[in-house]
Structures are given as structure tokens and as C-alpha cells.
Amino acid sequence: MIWYPYAQMKTLDAPVKIARAEGVHLYTEDGHDLIDSVSSWWSVIHGYNHPEINAAIREQLEKFAHVMLGGLTHEPVRRLSDKLAEWLPADLDYCFFSDSGSVAVEVALKMALQFNTNRGSDRDMILALEHAYHGDTFKAMEVGDDEDYHFAFGKNSEKKRGVIHIPTDISALEDAFSCYGERLTCFIIEPLLQGAGGMRMYDVSFIKRARKLCYEYDTLLIFDEVATGFGRTGNRFVADLVLPDILVLGKALTGGYIGHAVTVANKKVWEGFMSDDPTHAFMHGPTFMGNALACCAALKSIELFERDDYISKIRRIEEITRREMAGFADPRIKEVRIMGGCVCIEVYDEKTLCGFKKYAYERGVFSRTFLKYMYAMVPYVINEEELVTILNTMKGWFDNFRG
Ligand SMILES: *Cc1c(COP(=O)(O)O)cnc(C)c1O
């Protein structure tokens, strides 16, 4: 029996069975052709079945699929960490690989905590954002604040003590630092765009102020760019605009091919672990960290991103989205938000979206709404006609039922 995610198995709608996928198209077993508006949880930025990524994986597969990084190493992981060090801004150079975004967030939080213990500090708090989503493992859930995920803890559970959540508001930020600044190990944020918490977008001025305060209070700034990285906000990384101390990447890292993630530290963090004292070493090591097939997929994915000027592709997606959404309104809609390769229609009542998935399916679009959010995060290789089909389907749902 397959246990599906985020679903009551008793009442689960049958998932759509995929036989083949190519570019932005999902082909179902019963012959439907669906344009994918979700990019398999925002990761498949080059589309499916990409010949060059396929070839890169095949080539490595002939050598070996995986060897552990405990006592062993290999070319693909060396090349990927060199590439990331060169490609990412400033001294974000030190790459700790893991197999998923949640684990990479755990690694970042653990790094920040131990960075402080190593220097003899007893800081014991973490600052995070309201509506944050950082993954489904326990500490990631604690720094998270996604309504849908509170069931495990209860909103004010004891277990969350030590994590402060603030809104993306500069005065709340300043208050938090003046109250707790000396006690904070880190401030973790999804910069500019909060994904699973409802595609909430906020201004870079908040992040710039956070950067200054983190310097002032000697607190590490962590960017969880698992969702925003690789162009989703229209920026290559938000870290290109404001520099964090630790950067977490996942999802699109391998072009959506193989689950892999990386926690990238700057020199200051790295040096916090350099010591003659063995207890200052970072004690973590996922079995599949640095998986060779994942590294080769990631290297090819980054090569395509640069070579084919993906930033201009994303700019075009944003332009078309803005043009198509201009003037679109409905009394049931609270807000339409657009940033880079992300568009979200937030409604007042989640019942408004009930049935949309089937409606979209019948019009050749795969969509997955959650709570009050209907959104598209398309593969960047989408063409104009396909994108307009998705947007028309989203708008059409409201027109269709405008009594
Ligand atoms: C998806 C996501 C994660 C978790 O990544 P997984 O690979 O699903 O564990 C963490 N942070 C953000 C911002 C995400 O969007």
C-alpha cells in the first residue's frame, strides 16, 4: 500500500497516474496530456526527460551510482562544490550535501547552534518568520509556522519554546532584536517568497534590515532558498541581493531529477568549526550525501541555467503572467500575487477552490491547490501558449462560476 503525502488516506482522490513525461507535459496512463503547472513541487525547472541531464546521469551511472563521503570522495562531488563556490556570491563556499531540503535545513540550524557552542556562547533562541515553511522534520517544523502543519505540536506547544516567530515587518524585526538579539543563534527566513506558507511575497528592505541587525547582534542569517533558489523569484538567488551566512538549496538543485540538497556556509561559519579540539567537528553525515548521480544532474542543471540564460526565460514568464493577469479580479479573490516564476491567487474561502483540480485536468492542466491558494510555478522551459493555457484555466475557474 502506498501512503500518500498530506492526505487522509480514507478519502483520498485517486492520484493521476503518469506513464511518461516530456518537457512541460505529463502523459497519463489513460491518454491525457497535461501541462504541468507545479513542476513537481517546484523542482523540475528544465522540464521532464531532458536529453542532456539524462545523458549526464547515464554517463556517471556507467562508472558508479553512489559511494559514501565517509572516508571516500569523487569527482562529481568535487566539481559540484567547486561550481557552487564559484557560482554563489561572496564567500558562500563550503558545501555540506544531504538528501532533502528538510535535512539541509536541519543541518543549517545545527551548524548555527554548534557554531555558537564552539565559541563558548550559550545563545539558545532562534528567530523565524510567521507563515514560514522549512520542511517536515521536527526542528524544521519548529522554525516553521505553517497553519496546516501545526497539528503535530499545537500552536503554543512547549516544544516550540526557544523559537520566536515574527511577521515580515521591519518594526517587529527591530523589536525582536532589541528583546532577544543577544540570545539568538540565528535568524532563518525564506527570502522574498514564502512558499508553502501561502506564496507570500515581501520586500527586500526587510531582508536588508535583517542583515544589518544580524551583523550588529552577531547572529547568523540563514536563507532557506530551497524554493526560491535557481530563479524562482526572478533573481538567480535572493542571496545575490543580500548575503546570508548560511544558504540552503534543494528542490531545483538537481533540476528535479534526484532528491538532493546542500547547506552552504560562509568562511566565518566554516572557521567556527576549525579547531584542534575534535569535539568542534560538525557531527552529521547523511548516508546519501554527495550522491554521484545527483551531483552530475546538478552540474548539468546549472550548466543549462547559465548557458540558456534562464534569468531571461523567467523574466518572460513574469511578463506574460503580468500581462494575462492585468485587470483580473473577482469578489472571491483576496489578492493576486506575482513574482518571477510564481503566480498565486489567494481566495477568501478555501471552498472556492474545491473542484478546481478536476476542472483543470479536463482542460489539460495539472494543478494542485492548497488551502486558500491557487498557484502556478511552471518549468522555465514552458512556451507562451502553454503558459497562457495555464493562466486562462486559473482565470476561467472564476469566470465559469460567476453566476
Ligand atoms: C520544500 C521545502 C523544504 C523541504 O524540502 P524537502 O526536500 O521536501 O525536504 C524546505 N524549505 C522550503 C522553503 C521548501 O520549500
Side-chain angles (χ1 to χ4, degrees), residues 69-295:
L69 286 196
L72 302 174
T73 195
H74 51 83
E75 264 308 280
V77 74
R78 186 198 60 79
R79 283 197 291 130
L80 180 57
S81 53
D82 284 357
K83 180 66 206 178
L84 288 169
E86 171 223 311
W87 208 45
L88 295 171
D91 60 348
L92 288 166
D93 290 347
Y94 304 88
C95 301
F96 193 98
F97 293 97
S98 54
D99 31 30
S100 76
S102 302
V103 173
V105 165
E106 300 282 337
V107 166
L109 296 169
K110 195 165 152 183
M111 236 177 221
L113 185 67
Q114 195 181 340
F115 173 82
N116 277 286
T117 353
N118 282 357
R119 64 180 182 174
S121 142
D122 59 358
R123 290 172 179 242
D124 59 348
M125 294 177 92
I126 296 174
L127 189 62
L129 293 179
E130 287 177 7
H131 308 291
Y133 176 78
H134 294 293
D136 289 346
T137 52
F138 275 92
K139 198 68 194 175
M141 282 176 81
E142 284 182 39
V143 292
D145 176 44
D146 188 348
E147 292 159 44
D148 206 24
Y149 303 86
H150 279 307
F151 67 92
F153 292 118
K155 178 112 184 147
N156 297 309
S157 160
E158 295 269 306
K159 296 201 183 68
K160 281 211 176 193
R161 222 162 32 188
V163 182
I164 311 288
H165 289 98
I166 57 166
T168 52
D169 171 88
I170 291 185
S171 69
L173 174 72
E174 288 171 342
D175 288 351
F177 271 89
S178 69
C179 281
Y180 308 109
E182 314 279 335
R183 291 178 63 187
L184 296 175
T185 59
C186 61
F187 181 25
I188 182 166
I189 61 173
E190 294 159 90
L192 291 186
L193 170 64
Q194 299 184 282
M199 308 298 167
R200 289 160 198 270
M201 299 164 187
Y202 63 97
D203 197 76
V204 71
S205 59
F206 177 88
I207 307 174
K208 288 184 171 156
R209 186 76 187 111
R211 176 65 279 181
K212 284 215 176 75
L213 287 164
C214 284
Y215 281 138
E216 197 177 312
Y217 286 86
D218 199 12
T219 294
L220 297 176
L221 181 59
I222 301 175
F223 282 5
D224 175 354
E225 292 218 53
V226 172
T228 57
F230 301 96
R232 192 53 71 182
T233 67
N235 307 284
R236 205 175 56 137
F237 301 97
V238 184
D240 290 328
L241 308 178
V242 180
L243 200 59
D245 299 291
I246 299 175
L247 173 64
V248 185
L249 302 174
K251 292 198 164 93
L253 174 66
T254 64
Y257 263 67
I258 300 173
H260 223 65
V262 63
T263 307
V264 188
N266 70 4
K267 190 150 194 251
K268 171 180 161 176
V269 173
W270 169 262
E271 285 183 342
F273 290 80
M274 285 287 145
S275 163
D276 294 322
D277 182 346
T279 68
H280 286 192
F282 188 55
M283 289 305 205
H284 204 104
T287 303
F288 292 107
M289 72 185 292
N291 175 272
L293 300 180
C295 290

Side-chain angles (χ1 to χ4, degrees), residues 319-326 328 384 388 391-392 395:
E319 278 164 18
I320 294 166
T321 308
R322 287 195 188 281
R323 182 192 75 205
E324 294 296 315
M325 286 294 171
F328 174 66
E384 177 159 358
V388 169
L391 298 170
N392 281 343
K395 292 191 290 183

Side-chain angles (χ1 to χ4, degrees), residues 232-235 312-324 338-342 387:
R232 192 53 71 182
T233 67
N235 307 284
S312 73
K313 288 187 200 292
I314 297 157
R315 201 171 298 130
R316 213 170 131 269
I317 289 170
E318 176 165 355
E319 278 164 18
I320 294 166
T321 308
R322 287 195 188 281
R323 182 192 75 205
E324 294 296 315
I338 299 166
M339 181 187 279
C342 175
L387 178 56

